[in-house]
Amino acid sequence: MPTEKKISSASDCINSMVEGSELKKVRSNSRIYHRYFLLDADMQSLRWEPSKKDSEKAKIDIKSIKEVRTGKNTDIFRSNGISDQISEDCAFSVIYGENYESLDLVANSADVANIWVTGLRYLISYGKHTLDMLESSQDNMRTSWVSQMFSEIDVDNLGHITLCNAVQCIRDLNPGLKTSKIELKFKELHKSKDKAGTEVTKEEFVEVFHELCTRPEIYFLLVQFSSNKEFLDTKDLMMFLEAEQGVAHINEEISLEIINKYEPSKEGQEKGWLSIDGFTKYLMSPDCYIFDPEHKKVCQDMKQPLSHYFINSSHNTYLIEDQFRGPSDITGYIRALKMGCRSVELDVWDGPDNEPVIYTGHTMTSQIVFRSVIDIINKYAFFASEYPLILCLENHCSIKQQKVMVQHMKKILGDKLYTTSPNMEESYLPSPDVLKGRILIKAKKLSSSCSGVEGDVTDEDEGAEMSQRMGKENVEQPNNVPVKRFQLCKELSELVSICKSVQFKEFQVSFQAQKYWEVCSFNEVLASKYANENPGDFVNYNKRFLARVFPSPMRIDSSNMNPQDFWKCGCQIVAMNFQTPGLMMDLNIGWFRQNGNCGYVLRPAIMREEVSFFSANTKDSVPGVSPQLLHIKIISGQNFPKPKGSGAKGDVVDPYVYVEIHGIPADCAEQRTKTVHQNGDAPIFDESFEFQINLPELAMVRFVVLDDDYIGDEFIGQYTIPFECLQTGYRHVPLQSLTGEVLAHASLFVHVAITNRRGGGKPHKRGLSVRKGKKSREYASLRTLWIKTVDEVFKNAQPPIRDATDLRENMQNAVVSFKELCGLSSVANLMQCMLAVSPRFLGSDNTPLVVLNLSEQYPTMELQGIVPEVLKKIVTTYDMVPLSSAAASEPQDGRDSVCPAHHDVSATEQMIQSLKAVIENADAVYEKIVHCQRAGVSSEQPRWRATVLTSPPQRTLCC
């Protein structure tokens, strides 16, 4: 209800604790007790009731509390049989006493858990001075700043301002708030005081501002890093940026820049303090969006062959509605080119007055003049990207009008046309970098043996196929359309250089005979058939040749196919109906954001390298690719609009969130949050999900917000992002409408962490905390080819590979153990571990129990005298943790990484040298085979390297 008060300060937390809460007390052997916990009025002890113990024993002295842990991170939680039924976000533990005993509790909501964690941490820090601290904080920096805002409006110093001015000021400070909600809050306050009139006093203005402009989830985050202050100083902010946000090379100057940019109060800027309002403003800024800004510009290698890239492509670009009756318009080309599309389609037919026209043949779609389209393409070709644009020309014109087409293209496009003949000595297409600013024509081309001014070629008529499919149910055989032939003039043929259209026959024929500059087009149905029946061959085919996939002729309504179905096979040009919004276009738009929206995305290495083998339909981990675990916590939402189609329903929204993973079949998954009823303004979800990503380079994450109580339309907003573009830490996700526009002030607040999966096997219910013994480990195996030279070379690789697997597993097990002893989950990185454990290094009299020795290359922990057993375990486990480079590399992106410990460096180097020797020997053998093939000794493809590295269904190895 609107009258419910938000938590906006430590004082609110303490008051709530004094009133008390019902919490679940977790014991070993799956026992759970419902108890009422409360803080004594003198703030000296934590009590619970009812209890079999004496009332004086059913309590914990605040002075004895060592730490407060969030999540299920104690031995009791980990060993409890019903741990899976307990929410990570509702669980917390109070560690107390000299023996580090734990009181393990579960709240009814994450908010309640946060209140207790925050309040207890304040009490631990300030002890008996907590009351003084809370009283002094009433006149704090934030209150002073808000009071100043009030005074600037109250120019006549009357002590009150009009309701209209008060509402407008709060809206200016927090644009996402609705005017009606602010007015309601003031009216409620006045009613509670039985106050007549609409004037707003300074105290009322401050109270309503605190109530409406404080996001509890951000406040709880702030106090977690502020050493229990109401603001972050430069060192606190540095710690947050480095440990949580993964910002590398952070220093106080960078912290001060952020404070000066986002802190609204003069006092905060002068003192170098970031208040809750400045912190909120920073977290909601583009600096903290989930999308990595490094990917907003071209960041991939653009000097690879053209066939090594996915290319943003449009189908029937001229259409702006359906495929059969819809209008054609040049705005289709403008929209596609502005969106970074690099392959557009022109379906050209004879028109009146000797002017070719563009439309879908055999349908009722309207026509546009070819010349006007070429004019628009010339104007917008490089509006969004400087990299090559491919014009897919489907030519149905007479010789006479073909010549008109040539004249228009030469005159309008001029030197932008790329007509250089392909180099016969090369094996691959030129790179996008070489082809910058050039326009390529993909069309039919006369054979080199044709000596006349025109010749006979096969026709590609997608429209005819669609026309024939109308009304037919059997679409399983897409090649039933009879092949037609037409006359092609030599002038038009000469405009086609490295994108010659040819008809696909079968993979083995293409491997032997297809030229690298020849392009095949695949109907969606046929491409799906090859993707399912010949996934490995399809991937290998696309390493060298361009493949274009266009939608099934049955998609009369311009619906879209799933581009992921063909990207996973390496198909570069997957033509989409840009005029049709929805999931499939969300995937396409999101995917091509990752390289500066330049229209080209470099394919995964496993799809480019000749020596690698990849099956698009793999349902397990991918050989040579390290799987990742993606941890996503949906914390809250902000300012959700109601669905556009639900006009009959009021302004109330009941939102829930889907998190979808799109990629290879092994990665596809989805999870949903609970529904938050009647709250679209600031719903709190606090739910965590975990996904295993086997091929990160081909995975995408999609956030979808829906309305659970809808009439007609449930869609609120979405955001789609490639896995490689995720920023870890606390991030805001800016939501977009169905048609791709940004929804003003609407966002999700999430936490993202990415960790390495621990070598082989299925993830356990506790994710990374599962250890694997040697007997259960899966080692890479090599397949015998019965080619003596090759088998002998790779036989020597087996022992060092096995040793390397053992070393990696041992290191990862040590990291997991260290995280658990630090009281953290598998999501944590090593810097967070050190932050969590360092307070325990001081004794009760502030004498050090453990000292970190930083004089050596590898930091070591040294015990000082007699210490508790738990500290001994931490130090012992730390000695096994590989810190040689993990500590240096982790903060850069917040992801776990493991490297050999210093005492294993020599063993690691020996393994690397052994593997290098094997690969060098293999290269020598490979070169001999290639030499023999080029000399004509053997007509077989030199594909043995790809074969030797694959041994399905066993694990495989990619050197």
Side-chain angles (χ1 to χ4, degrees):
M1 296 295 292
T3 51
E4 290 181 353
K5 184 172 176 61
K6 282 184 183 178
I7 298 294
S8 62
S9 67
S11 179
D12 294 337
C13 294
I14 298 295
N15 290 335
S16 178
M17 291 165 64
V18 170
E19 292 176 7
S21 308
E22 183 180 291
L23 303 173
K24 296 170 188 170
K25 183 180 176 185
V26 180
R27 301 295 299 271
S28 55
N29 301 325
S30 305
R31 289 178 295 174
I32 292 182
Y33 302 95
H34 291 260
R35 297 288 182 260
Y36 195 80
F37 285 77
L38 68 161
L39 178 68
D40 272 354
D42 60 4
M43 302 187 205
Q44 297 300 305
S45 56
L46 173 66
R47 294 181 179 273
W48 60 91
E49 53 189 36
S51 174
K52 293 180 181 178
K53 297 179 181 178
D54 181 85
S55 61
E56 286 303 307
K57 291 184 179 179
K59 69 174 186 176
I60 294 174
D61 289 337
I62 298 298
K63 290 186 294 184
S64 70
I65 298 177
K66 304 292 185 185
E67 65 171 302
V68 182
R69 292 182 192 172
T70 57
K72 301 178 288 187
N73 292 307
T74 62
D75 288 339
I76 287 180
F77 269 130
R78 293 190 189 104
S79 60
N80 194 290
I82 58 171
S83 179
D84 280 352
Q85 301 171 28
I86 297 172
S87 167
E88 181 82 20
D89 306 305
C90 296
F92 66 100
S93 302
V94 180
I95 312 300
Y96 65 97
E98 292 304 316
N99 294 322
Y100 288 80
E101 298 174 72
S102 69
L103 173 64
D104 300 288
L105 303 171
V106 180
N108 292 326
S109 70
D111 261 358
V112 173
N114 283 326
I115 288 170
W116 280 91
V117 169
T118 301
L120 287 171
R121 285 176 175 172
Y122 260 83
L123 291 167
I124 295 169
S125 295
Y126 296 102
K128 62 183 180 181
H129 302 294
T130 302
L131 274 176
D132 299 332
M133 184 276 302
L134 292 175
E135 287 172 6
S136 65
S137 70
Q138 297 307 306
D139 187 24
N140 59 19
M141 180 173 69
R142 187 188 195 198
T143 303
S144 301
W145 168 66
V146 177
S147 299
Q148 184 184 345
M149 294 296 103
F150 179 90
S151 299
E152 289 177 4
I153 303 171
D154 184 19
V155 289
D156 296 327
N157 209 19
L158 300 173
H160 59 78
I161 58 176
T162 64
L163 176 63
C164 180
N165 285 341
V167 170
Q168 187 58 48
C169 182
I170 290 178
R171 273 218 68 187
D172 290 343
L173 295 171
N174 195 334
L177 283 174
K178 296 175 183 174
T179 300
S180 58
K181 184 174 182 179
I182 304 172
E183 288 177 348
L184 178 63
K185 187 59 67 177
F186 277 115
K187 289 175 182 176
E188 280 187 343
L189 185 61
H190 286 166
K191 187 175 182 181
S192 67
K193 295 180 178 180
D194 293 326
K195 178 181 174 181
T198 59
E199 287 80 15
V200 176
T201 65
K202 182 197 291 185
E203 291 72 23
E204 291 167 347
F205 182 79
V206 171
E207 184 175 344
V208 170
F209 178 86
H210 277 82
E211 179 73 11
L212 292 179
C213 299
T214 305
R215 286 175 50 185
E217 70 275 24
I218 292 182
Y219 172 74
F220 291 133
L221 179 61
L222 179 140
V223 296
Q224 183 182 334
F225 283 88
S226 69
S227 304
N228 301 313
K229 304 187 294 293
E230 297 290 297
F231 57 85
L232 296 170
D233 60 30
T234 53
K235 286 188 169 58
D236 297 330
L237 184 56
M238 282 173 61
M239 202 61 71
F240 170 76
L241 294 172
E242 199 166 17
E244 277 296 345
Q245 304 298 84
V247 180
H249 313 300
I250 195 72
N251 54 44
E252 287 198 52
E253 286 74 19
I254 295 174
S255 289
L256 276 172
E257 285 177 15
I258 292 172
I259 291 171
N260 290 330
K261 184 177 180 180
Y262 295 105
E263 173 54 39
S265 70
K266 290 272 181 64
E267 181 186 356
Q269 292 178 15
E270 290 168 359
K271 292 182 177 179
W273 293 351
L274 191 65
S275 67
I276 178 64
D277 300 290
F279 192 45
T280 303
K281 191 176 176 184
Y282 169 63
L283 286 175
M284 294 190 71
S285 73
D287 289 346
C288 287
Y289 280 175
I290 195 170
F291 189 88
D292 187 347
E294 289 296 314
H295 290 269
K296 289 184 178 180
K297 57 183 183 292
V298 175
C299 56
Q300 296 176 348
D301 178 11
M302 302 303 289
K303 296 183 179 179
Q304 299 272 340
L306 209 60
S307 60
H308 287 183
Y309 297 85
F310 296 114
I311 303 172
N312 196 356
S313 309
S314 164
H315 172 248
N316 287 356
T317 318
Y318 46 88
L319 292 178
I320 56 174
E321 289 182 17
D322 67 75
Q323 302 287 312
F324 197 70
R325 298 181 180 84
S328 303
D329 197 281
I330 57 172
T331 57
Y333 290 95
I334 297 173
R335 177 188 59 225
L337 292 171
K338 281 187 172 182
M339 291 173 68
C341 180
R342 295 289 82 195
S343 173
V344 296
E345 188 174 359
L346 297 86
D347 201 345
V348 193
W349 297 78
D350 280 350
D353 303 322
N354 200 34
E355 280 290 345
V357 292
I358 290 178
Y359 73 104
T360 305
H362 318 288
T363 67
M364 299 165 63
T365 57
S366 62
Q367 303 175 359
I368 48 178
V369 178
F370 176 79
R371 182 182 58 201
S372 63
V373 171
I374 297 300
D375 272 328
I376 286 297
I377 288 174
N378 182 56
K379 183 177 180 180
Y380 291 97
F382 304 104
F383 178 89
S385 171
E386 61 183 343
Y387 293 101
L389 173 67
I390 301 172
L391 305 186
C392 296
L393 209 60
E394 197 174 304
N395 170 31
H396 309 285
C397 291
S398 62
I399 293 293
K400 184 179 179 182
Q401 294 210 14
Q402 286 179 33
K403 292 180 179 179
V404 176
M405 289 168 56
V406 173
Q407 290 172 6
H408 289 328
M409 286 192 285
K410 283 186 174 181
K411 181 180 178 182
I412 297 170
L413 302 179
D415 293 340
K416 293 176 185 174
L417 283 172
Y418 184 85
T419 56
T420 306
S421 299
N423 187 343
M424 302 296 178
E425 299 297 318
E426 296 289 341
S427 301
Y428 288 92
L429 291 165
S431 69
D433 190 67
V434 168
L435 296 170
K436 273 182 187 176
R438 306 307 291 270
I439 295 176
L440 313 179
I441 306 295
K442 175 202 166 288
K444 290 291 182 178
K445 186 175 178 68
L446 296 172
S447 67
S448 56
S449 60
C450 178
S451 58
V453 295
E454 58 188 63
D456 189 52
V457 293
T458 57
D459 188 16
E460 286 184 317
D461 191 349
E462 295 173 18
E465 189 177 344
M466 181 175 69
S467 181
Q468 291 191 24
R469 294 289 167 202
M470 288 286 287
K472 291 187 178 182
E473 292 183 2
N474 180 21
V475 296
E476 292 185 3
Q477 300 296 328
N479 283 340
N480 288 342
V481 180
V483 175
K484 295 193 297 183
R485 304 187 72 83
F486 76 101
Q487 293 296 109
L488 176 66
C489 78
K490 194 167 187 178
E491 294 173 68
L492 183 55
S493 173
E494 288 173 347
L495 294 184
V496 179
S497 58
I498 55 173
C499 288
K500 175 185 176 182
S501 293
V502 297
Q503 191 169 22
F504 181 80
K505 295 179 181 176
E506 59 181 51
F507 288 115
Q508 293 309 314
V509 172
S510 295
F511 289 142
Q512 296 292 335
Q514 187 170 334
K515 304 294 189 294
Y516 72 84
W517 60 84
E518 295 177 336
V519 182
C520 292
S521 289
F522 299 83
N523 175 293
E524 172 192 350
V525 180
L526 184 62
S528 296
K529 175 176 179 287
Y530 290 139
N532 292 322
E533 297 178 6
N534 310 90
D537 284 335
F538 213 172
V539 172
N540 283 331
Y541 172 85
N542 288 319
K543 288 177 182 178
R544 191 177 174 201
F545 309 114
L546 285 177
R548 177 177 175 269
V549 180
F550 58 89
S552 163
M554 292 303 293
R555 295 187 182 274
I556 309 300
D557 59 352
S558 292
S559 62
N560 275 306
M561 53 193 171
N562 187 342
Q564 281 276 7
D565 290 343
F566 308 104
W567 288 338
K568 71 182 182 183
C569 300
C571 295
Q572 301 88 347
I573 305 175
V574 181
M576 304 292 288
N577 289 308
F578 273 52
Q579 72 272 32
T580 307
L583 166 61
M584 304 314 171
M585 269 309 293
D586 291 343
L587 295 178
N588 194 76
I589 293 169
W591 182 247
F592 285 102
R593 280 197 191 109
Q594 66 184 286
N595 193 26
N597 202 36
C598 74
Y600 287 83
V601 168
L602 189 63
R603 296 186 309 169
I606 202 166
M607 290 185 172
R608 306 191 311 264
E609 297 167 352
E610 281 191 29
V611 299
S612 61
F613 176 84
F614 170 66
S615 173
N617 292 333
T618 180
K619 291 184 171 59
D620 203 348
S621 58
V622 178
V625 178
S626 176
Q628 305 283 300
L629 278 178
L630 172 63
H631 311 260
I632 292 181
K633 179 179 180 181
I634 306 295
I635 301 172
S636 64
Q638 294 77 45
N639 308 311
F640 294 158
K642 66 177 183 179
K644 281 191 174 179
S646 59
K649 190 182 130 183
D651 289 329
V652 179
V653 174
D654 296 342
Y656 64 98
V657 182
Y658 261 107
V659 182
E660 304 169 351
I661 307 296
H662 298 266
I664 61 173
D667 292 342
C668 292
E670 65 179 22
Q671 297 272 10
R672 66 156 285 180
T673 66
K674 63 180 182 294
T675 299
V676 178
H677 295 285
Q678 298 189 2
N679 188 348
D681 295 328
I684 299 292
F685 299 101
D686 272 325
E687 289 192 60
S688 301
F689 307 115
E690 181 181 288
F691 302 94
Q692 180 174 303
I693 312 296
N694 294 285
L695 186 55
E697 289 178 282
L698 208 60
M700 278 192 286
V701 184
R702 184 170 184 257
F703 301 89
V704 191
V705 183
L706 302 171
D707 185 3
D708 209 7
D709 183 24
Y710 66 94
I711 299 175
D713 181 17
E714 62 178 342
F715 180 84
I716 294 175
Q718 68 85 31
Y719 188 78
T720 307
I721 179 172
F723 179 85
E724 297 286 294
C725 298
L726 289 172
Q727 287 205 99
T728 55
Y730 289 91
R731 304 290 172 183
H732 275 89
V733 181
L735 295 177
Q736 297 177 340
S737 69
L738 189 66
T739 52
E741 291 88 12
V742 175
L743 296 171
H745 312 299
S747 62
L748 285 172
F749 186 44
V750 303
H751 181 264
V752 178
I754 299 170
T755 55
N756 291 334
R757 177 185 161 204
R758 298 186 55 256
K762 295 294 180 186
H764 189 271
K765 62 185 179 183
R766 281 168 50 215
L768 297 188
S769 59
V770 176
R771 299 170 181 81
K772 294 181 72 66
K774 282 193 175 184
K775 289 184 179 179
S776 62
R777 290 176 185 169
E778 297 178 10
Y779 296 96
S781 58
L782 302 179
R783 180 170 140 197
T784 303
L785 292 182
W786 307 109
I787 303 173
K788 185 176 180 181
T789 311
V790 175
D791 290 340
E792 286 295 323
V793 166
F794 278 93
K795 188 171 79 171
N796 297 325
Q798 195 74 50
I801 289 170
R802 189 179 182 88
D803 291 341
T805 303
D806 286 337
L807 178 61
R808 181 193 63 191
E809 291 288 344
N810 293 339
M811 293 304 123
Q812 290 178 334
N813 284 340
V815 170
V816 170
S817 298
F818 185 61
K819 288 178 182 179
E820 290 181 356
L821 287 170
C822 292
L824 297 174
S825 69
S826 59
V827 177
N829 58 44
L830 291 178
M831 174 168 282
Q832 291 165 342
C833 289
M834 297 305 295
L835 285 174
V837 80
S838 55
R840 304 184 212 172
F841 293 170
L842 284 178
S844 55
D845 56 353
N846 283 335
T847 56
L849 301 177
V850 179
V851 172
L852 270 175
N853 184 350
L854 304 177
S855 61
E856 301 295 328
Q857 182 181 359
Y858 305 99
T860 56
M861 288 185 185
E862 300 174 358
L863 295 173
Q864 306 293 303
I866 301 174
V867 299
E869 194 63 33
V870 66
L871 277 184
K872 287 182 183 177
K873 283 185 180 179
I874 289 173
V875 173
T876 304
T877 308
Y878 176 83
D879 286 340
M880 300 168 61
V881 174
L883 290 177
S884 55
S885 67
S889 63
E890 269 189 344
Q892 294 179 15
D893 60 3
R895 307 184 186 194
D896 261 352
S897 62
V898 244
C899 298
H902 57 278
H903 54 272
D904 283 319
V905 167
S906 59
T908 307
E909 288 176 348
Q910 288 175 8
M911 292 175 200
I912 292 171
Q913 292 304 320
S914 299
L915 285 172
K916 278 184 177 178
V918 171
I919 294 170
E920 286 170 3
N921 290 338
D923 281 337
V925 177
Y926 174 66
E927 288 300 325
K928 288 179 181 177
I929 293 178
V930 173
H931 178 75
C932 290
Q933 189 215 14
R934 286 177 178 168
V937 175
S938 169
S939 60
E940 294 182 4
Q941 292 284 326
R943 297 174 61 205
W944 65 270
R945 282 192 83 189
T947 309
V948 78
L949 298 177
T950 59
S951 49
Q954 297 172 313
R955 292 283 173 187
T956 61
L957 165 72
C958 269
C959 284

